[in-house]
Amino acid sequence: MNRAAPVEVAGLGKRYRQTTSGQEVVAIDRLDFRIESGEIVAIVGQTGCGKSTFLDILIGLEAPSSGSLSVGGFTPYGDFDRFRGRIATVFQQDRLLPWRSSLDNVRLPLELAGMPEKEQRERSLGWLERLGLGKFTGAYPHELSGGMRQRVAIARAFALEPAILLADEAFGHLDEVTAAELRETFVKLARECGSTSVLITHQLEEAIAVGDRILVFGKPATVLADVSVAQWPREDYAGLREAIQATLQANAPDPRLKR
Amino acid sequence: MKPSSILPEAKAAGLFGRFPREGLVSLLVLAAVWETLAQLSPTLGIPPFAVPSFVRIGRSLLTVTPIDVAITLLRVLGALLVSFVLGMTLAMVMYLSETLERHARPVIRLLMAVPIISWILFAILWFRGVEFRVAFVLVIVCAPVFLVDALDSMRDVSRDWRDMLRSFRPTRVQFFTKLMLPATLPSILTSWKIVMSLAIRVVTIAELVGAVTGIGHQLNVAQQLFSVADVFAWTLVLVASLFLLEYVLTLAEARLLKWRPA
């Protein structure tokens, strides 16, 4: 398995020019934080605060305008190919390829990583079994429910057993029961794999349920608060939710989060 | 779970596609009008050779030489394969380089705007070998269609899929083989259908003026002999060949796109 890697973000900024107006937009102001190896961190923020831009930089799809972001000492954008087989993402929509069966969708990253065919098949079948889809290996995406499709997408990400695992609003579009079930599965598997995990969400309940830590992003993206969920009294999760909510509304850290 | 089987439209498609009853009636009416005209031509003052009866056309069909049919079909299939490979390769290169695309698009538009007959004349003036002339005309007409269709459908591939694949770090070859080609396969097959009927028409004209074999050449001979029955027979063979090729393509489509929801 890939060794989990820490994420270092220092003075990260992202600006881009709008194609229509030509105006410069600050998507990420300045981000500074560190995520330890094997940690599960949830990032919350309002819509349009730059969470997804941050994720694109973390995946390596976009380059930062300033500052740096490194995973295990390498930059996902600059050292793009070095991350082959080491990084996996569960996206908001499942993004399954409709011409591939469930099994072949899970195999996709393994094929790209150049894994031997027999191992690809065994590993993919194993992950589909673990996610309760053992009987649906030959099914095409359109033959599966939304929850099942997202399970296939999760299996696809975990099949790589990646050093770094990312999830972008991965459960937000599912019904509450399915979402809760998948969140639980996600956390369990992430802990088993030991991957460093970053989950982006706008749902505070989800962030509290999943994260070891919660980073609260302001608008434009800057860290307003960095909360350790483990150190927060379990019986006061309602208070934590209220404090994060207040932080997001004021776009400034709530005093309760500074303890 | 059982994967979706063959597409319903493919199931319904026979050699002539989903042929509506009304269409069959229209064709029968047309045939009846033709045969009536053929029978009445002497009394109507029409020369008998101008509107031959179906019996006369049937006799001409019996004289059709399979070798000429085979030569024309081989020319079409060979040129289509070359055009497809050329068009797809250029589409992939242009997809990777927007600068190249900006330079090449106007040239391709220009090539596509040139009338087929001009290409045939250029071919006759530029090249000596008959086969090369025919191949040149077919490729210069068909390859740009494959190229433009493929490039446009590649540009239409969803960004979500592209980002998903890129997040797994594919090589360039993998990017095309695992995503672009399968994603654009439906429109590639549609291009094949369009280009195939285009190629059948183009090859006929090219053979008509520059070849000594093939259906086009036989049409030319029939025209010189004032034999409308022979022209009719060769045209029927040409149309039937096109239907046959389209049918084969429909079967391939049903197999290759079996993943599509019904």
Side-chain angles (χ1 to χ4, degrees):
Chain A
M1 194 190 88
N2 285 316
R3 281 183 54 183
V7 179
E8 291 256 16
V9 182
L12 187 81
K14 179 69 184 176
R15 288 166 173 73
Y16 61 89
R17 213 163 274 285
Q18 274 187 331
T19 34
T20 43
S21 63
Q23 270 189 324
E24 192 178 69
V25 177
V26 180
I28 296 175
D29 188 13
R30 187 188 165 88
L31 288 174
D32 293 278
F33 59 87
R34 182 183 161 89
I35 300 171
E36 299 302 333
S37 299
E39 210 175 9
I40 300 178
V41 170
I43 294 175
V44 294
Q46 290 180 30
T47 306
C49 77
K51 302 187 297 281
S52 293
T53 306
F54 169 73
L55 192 82
D56 282 348
I57 296 172
L58 185 50
I59 294 171
L61 298 177
E62 282 195 42
S65 307
S66 56
S68 67
L69 182 152
S70 69
V71 178
F74 298 101
T75 58
Y77 187 82
D79 304 306
F80 194 80
D81 287 337
R82 198 177 269 275
F83 285 84
R84 182 171 297 131
R86 305 198 60 206
I87 192 164
T89 309
V90 183
F91 295 94
Q92 184 172 16
Q93 301 299 330
D94 52 73
R95 302 193 189 185
L96 299 181
L97 300 179
W99 56 87
R100 285 179 164 251
S101 64
S102 303
L103 178 65
D104 288 341
N105 265 293
V106 177
R107 274 168 70 151
L108 178 69
L110 308 180
E111 287 171 24
L112 299 178
M115 185 177 281
E117 205 158 313
K118 189 166 173 261
E119 201 181 331
Q120 282 174 29
R121 192 180 158 76
E122 281 169 6
R123 201 193 270 203
S124 306
L125 282 171
W127 277 101
L128 281 170
E129 282 286 348
R130 288 181 79 171
L131 280 142
L133 292 166
K135 288 181 181 163
F136 297 92
T137 55
Y140 287 101
H142 75 268
E143 296 170 319
L144 302 172
S145 69
M148 289 161 97
R149 289 166 65 114
Q150 199 62 352
R151 278 177 187 276
V152 177
I154 292 173
R156 178 177 64 190
F158 277 103
L160 265 184
E161 296 175 4
I164 180 149
L165 182 66
L166 313 170
D168 183 15
E169 310 274 11
F171 318 111
H173 62 294
L174 301 170
D175 66 83
E176 195 41 56
V177 176
T178 311
E181 197 185 312
L182 284 186
R183 267 197 300 265
E184 203 176 302
T185 309
F186 181 88
V187 173
K188 182 172 159 267
L189 296 176
R191 296 225 188 278
E192 277 176 28
C193 272
S195 309
T196 306
S197 307
V198 179
L199 179 110
I200 292 206
T201 180
H202 63 273
Q203 294 184 337
L204 301 185
E205 304 290 353
E206 184 168 289
I208 295 167
V210 171
D212 297 328
R213 260 166 77 201
I214 299 173
L215 295 173
V216 185
F217 275 18
K219 199 172 176 177
T222 181
V223 178
L224 294 177
D226 184 344
V227 189
S228 168
V229 179
Q231 286 174 11
W232 197 275
R234 207 176 169 79
E235 62 281 4
D236 190 28
Y237 276 175
L240 173 59
R241 195 175 57 243
E242 277 171 27
I244 295 173
Q245 189 73 54
T247 301
L248 291 170
Q249 275 167 0
N251 203 32
D254 186 271
R256 285 171 285 181
L257 294 179
K258 287 184 176 166
R259 64 183 174 180
Chain B
M1 185 176 279
K2 189 178 171 286
S4 57
S5 53
I6 289 178
L7 294 172
E9 59 263 39
K11 270 186 195 164
L15 191 55
F16 297 96
R18 280 177 294 174
F19 209 82
R21 188 175 295 173
E22 294 86 343
L24 192 65
V25 170
S26 303
L27 281 179
L28 286 174
V29 168
L30 193 69
V33 169
W34 180 275
E35 189 60 28
T36 310
L37 269 178
Q39 298 303 328
L40 296 177
S41 59
T43 48
L44 293 171
I46 303 168
F49 69 85
V51 190
S53 68
F54 281 112
V55 174
R56 175 72 190 87
I57 294 167
R59 256 186 254 131
S60 289
L61 271 173
L62 292 174
T63 64
V64 164
T65 41
I67 186 75
D68 284 298
V69 181
I71 285 171
T72 296
L73 291 182
L74 278 176
R75 281 176 180 149
V76 167
L77 291 176
L80 282 178
L81 278 177
V82 173
S83 304
F84 177 67
V85 171
L86 194 66
M88 286 302 291
T89 309
L90 286 173
M92 285 189 265
V93 173
M94 282 164 71
Y95 179 83
L96 292 173
S97 166
E98 284 190 23
T99 314
L100 179 67
E101 187 186 345
R102 278 198 297 274
H103 282 90
R105 276 264 188 191
V107 179
I108 292 157
R109 284 182 65 96
L110 184 77
L111 292 181
M112 290 175 87
V114 174
I116 293 166
I117 196 70
S118 304
W119 285 123
I120 293 170
L121 293 176
F122 285 136
I124 291 170
L125 294 169
W126 287 342
F127 310 113
R128 268 198 194 158
V130 170
E131 290 309 321
F132 195 81
R133 283 175 183 169
V134 175
F136 168 79
V137 174
L138 280 169
V139 171
I140 202 83
V141 171
C142 299
V145 182
F146 277 126
L147 191 163
V148 170
D149 283 0
L151 186 59
D152 287 346
S153 50
M154 280 179 198
R155 294 255 177 260
D156 283 345
V157 171
S158 111
R159 189 179 168 172
D160 281 357
W161 283 346
R162 285 185 278 136
D163 282 353
M164 179 277 291
L165 200 81
R166 284 187 66 212
S167 74
F168 290 122
R169 272 67 181 169
T171 61
R172 273 191 182 169
V173 172
Q174 286 173 332
F175 182 74
F176 283 104
T177 55
K178 306 287 180 193
L179 178 64
M180 283 302 176
L181 292 180
T184 56
L185 190 60
S187 60
I188 288 173
L189 289 168
T190 306
S191 296
W192 265 91
K193 283 181 190 164
I194 295 165
V195 176
M196 212 154 61
S197 83
L198 178 69
I200 286 275
R201 280 175 278 153
V202 172
V203 78
T204 319
I205 306 169
E207 287 176 343
L208 197 73
V209 295
V212 289
T213 49
I215 295 175
H217 167 69
Q218 292 298 345
L219 281 168
N220 193 22
V221 172
Q223 181 258 322
Q224 284 166 7
L225 296 172
F226 289 101
S227 173
V228 177
D230 285 356
V231 171
F232 212 108
W234 282 105
T235 307
L236 274 179
V237 169
L238 201 65
V239 171
S241 306
L242 179 62
F243 282 167
L244 184 70
L245 289 177
E246 280 182 351
Y247 179 62
V248 171
L249 202 60
T250 308
L251 289 181
E253 190 178 34
R255 197 173 176 77
L256 292 168
L257 304 181
K258 65 178 182 185
W259 51 269
R260 285 212 295 201

